[in-house]
Each structure stands twice: as structure tokens, then as C-alpha cells.
Amino acid sequence: MNSTSVAPEALPGSSWEELVTVALLGTDRRAVAGPGAGRDAPVTLLDRAAVETVRRRAGVRPARAAARPEPAAADPRPPLPPAAARRLAMLLADRPGTGGGGRRGTAPDLMELLPQWLALANTRGFAAPPEALPALLDAARGRTDLRPAALTFAGPRALWLARLNPDWRFALRATPGGGADLPSPRETDRVRRLWQEGLFAERVALLTGIRAQEPVLARELLETTWPTERAEDRLMFLDSLRTGLRAEDEPFLEQALADRSRNVRATAAELLSALPGSALAARMADRAGACVAVDHTRDVPTLVVEAPHECDAGMERDGVVAKAPAGRGERSWWLGQLVEAAPLGSWSARFGGRTAEEIVALPVADDWQGELHAAWSRAAVRQREADWSRALLGAPSAPEAAGPGAVSLAERAKLLSTLEADERAEWVAGFIAAHGLSEAFQLLGVCAVPWSPVLGRAVVDALNIARDAGSYPWSFSGVMGLAERCLSPAEARRLEVLTATPEEQENASPGAGGYWSEAFQRLVTTLRLRAAMQEELTPR
């Protein structure tokens, strides 16, 4: 203590509130009460604060010790093999790659391999090492796309930790019922009590879980409280009926068409239109059929369109939104909704038994083709009609602006999702062969992983062509990143030849060959790393 300071215990005005006020304002603006003013005021203030702190702490009575938390639930799954546990620690310790453009070097982006590692570990049924849980939860906190797989892998201990650390509370929100123990459909009393008394998240989780196991029981449970539910809750509950949607749900959904909430009515109409045998689907088929017909008087049979002139009360009740978005014509807006909701099978009967391919190939008068094909595309995705998806996709070599495949890339990606994985991959491979990689990224995103050999070869061949053209590899960084995660690891040996630096062509971008060599080295290294990951997670 400074020799010029005064003993604090002998000084008045040492209340904590007074000392805080002086400290905030400064001793130049607020005098220290009692002796010690002037040049010694700052030292006096600190001395008094130190003594007052001791007094405050000494005056606090000890609290009762908190009860120890219950131990975490046991995880019955087998532990990770040691090599896989070490690999997980490496993946979690890595930082996200640079992404975007620019030079990335040859080192793999380990963080981008974590989702694939988690999916494989969950498929093999391993339990997460307890010491890895904090880093795993931190990674999932920062990346929402990791959360489902990460929480599945983390198991019950993640929920136990989430209740103790506010930073990990997302695990409780992301788990059905907030991690609560939900009853099975056979526990009738528990089900009914939780449905009537539970929190909203618990009720949603309960309804979703029962719907997956006993669809009829879930709908009957929902009917018991439907009239008293809030509009936003009714919408969420109704959405759960998408799982296991069946003809028996139609009476309940028809009643929902008269709901007070427009969003509830729209969702009920969408679900009913996905049931081709429903009364709503038949009504929509009649309305849409009255708008589209085949004109046989022309040299070539042609589809002619007469869009609705009004949106009547019946159309609105069946889910047609009357007000068109800004910049959209009302009549085309109404037509699109009618065609989208009509069962696709009804068009064959109306058009003389023609197949989906034959119908889509018909010319459409008066520039209605884009609107009509877009509505049929939405219907094919909603109704999961593969034949119509094939017809609307057209040949992969067809340009977007002509022919039966005259739908956008976004629509093509959705249509591809209705096809089997092998057919999807073959179509995208054909698209890449015809159009290159510049427009293929969106389509590659719907292909199954790992890519089939035919798709993998198409991607690598296109990358090789781009390299020979002399461009920089970061123009294709998105596709290259996908290739690192989606190519079969067995392709690594075949790709080794591409890791050499090619001779620089006369018209090539400066240094492009070296950059391509790095990119292919990183690709090969990543594929070998993925092969090692699979080996480490394979039970012995």
C-alpha cells in the first residue's frame, strides 16, 4: 500500500455504491469522501475498494451445495475403433477451408468431410467417444447442416450436456420433444396425457412419431383437439400428415378446407391434391381440363389454353390463391395452380390415351408452353410421377429454351429427385457430356453419393477438358469440391495421371497448369482419405 494512503477502515463514505460512482466518474470529477483527496485520491479509492470487497465477501453466508446432476443415460452402442476415434479428433480440430475462389493448395478440407464421416459412423451404429462430445457439439452449433447427424452420433449424452451448457441448448430444440422420453403408440394413457398437457414441441414430436408408426392413430389423436388448437399450431400439426398420407385422411382434410386460417386451408388442399383419388383432385382435374384442350383442326394436333377468367369461391376453398404475386398475370397464376393440383393421370384420359411423353411433346399455342410445362413439373414432383418427370426432363442434350425439356435447371433438379438414383446419375452424366460443367452444379446436388461410375467419369472428363482449355481451376471450385466429397474413392488410382503438371499451352492462362495439378492432387488425396475413413469405420 502506498505510504501516503490513509487506513481505509478509519474513513467514512466507503459504501460500495459510493465507490462505484466515484470510479465511474473519476476522482477528478467526484471527490473521494474523507481524507485522501488530491493527488492521492486514486490510490485511496483503490484501497477502499479492496477493503470493501473483502467485507462483502466475508458477509456472504455459504449456500447449500447444489444437488449433483443425475448421470447421463448409458449409450448401448459399441465404441468407435481407436483409429476412427483418432480420425474424428483430427476432423473436429480442423478449421473450415478457404472455399470460394483462389488457391487452396493440395491439403484436403477436413471439416467438409465431417458430414460424410458422421453419416458413415451412424450407419455402422457406433457411439461417440465422451471426450469428443464438446468439440462435436461446438461444431454442430456453428453449422446447422451438421446437427441431425451429429446429434444422432452423440446420442443421449449430448442431451445431458445440453441441459448443463446454454451454448448447446440447440440440441434440445433440435431433438423431438426437447429430448423428452416420448411414449410409444401402445401407451395409450401416456399418449393422451402428453397430447393434452404437453408443451408444443413435445406434442409435435409425439404426433410426428406416432404418425410414422401408426398413421391412423395419429390422425385420430389430432382430431380430438383440432377445434381448440391455435391456427399456427394447426398448421404445424397438419403438416405432420404428409408422412404416410393415405386415402383415409381425406375426410379430415376436406373439413380442413373450411378452416379459418388461409395457410391451413392451403396446406390441406396441397395434401388432398397429392391424393389422386380425392374429391378435390377430381374437382381440380375438371377445372384444369376445361382450360386445356387438343385442337385437331390444325395441321399438327396442338394444345390450346383458355385460362380462367375468375377465381370463384369454390376455387379458393380448394386452395387456389386469388391474388397473384407482383408482376404475374392473374389468369396465368390461376391456371398454374389448377394444373399443378390436377392428377397427372387425368390428362391421358382427356387427350385420347396419349402417354406423358406424347402429351409433353405436343406444341402449345399462344406462348402458353412455359406456364403449362412448369405447372406439370410441379405436379410431377408433388405426385412423384416418374413418367411425367422423364417426359418433362427430355433428353439431357436438349437446350433449356426448346423442345420437351424446356424447363429451368431448378425445375430439372426437382424432377430428377423423383427418379431412381441410377437413372438420375445417367441423365446428369449425359447433361454434362452435352453442356459441360458450368450449369451442372445444381443437378449434381440431387445425385446419390458416392457418384456412380458413369457420372464420376463424366465429371472427371469435363474437368480434364476444362484443364486442357487453359482456364483456371477455381472457375470450377464448386464442382471440384463436390467431386472431393462425392466421387467414389476407388477413382483415386485412375486420377493419378492428372496430378502431373501439364505443358503450358500457348493460349493458356499463366500458371493454370500448376494450379490444376494442385487441384487434382488435393482431389486424389481427399479420395484416399475417404477410403481410409471407410476402412477405419468397418467392423473387424
Side-chain angles (χ1 to χ4, degrees), residues 11-13 18-19 22 27 30-37 40-42 44-45 48:
L11 300 175
E18 175 65 18
L19 294 175
V22 174
T27 54
R30 180 76 172 247
V32 182
D40 295 330
T44 302
L45 174 64
R48 293 182 182 179

Side-chain angles (χ1 to χ4, degrees), residues 223-244:
E223 288 176 315
T224 61
T225 59
W226 180 260
T228 61
E229 302 288 357
R230 298 184 306 167
E232 55 268 34
D233 295 353
R234 293 199 304 277
L235 182 62
M236 186 71 72
F237 293 146
L238 192 63
D239 199 61
S240 69
L241 299 187
R242 295 181 190 276
T243 302

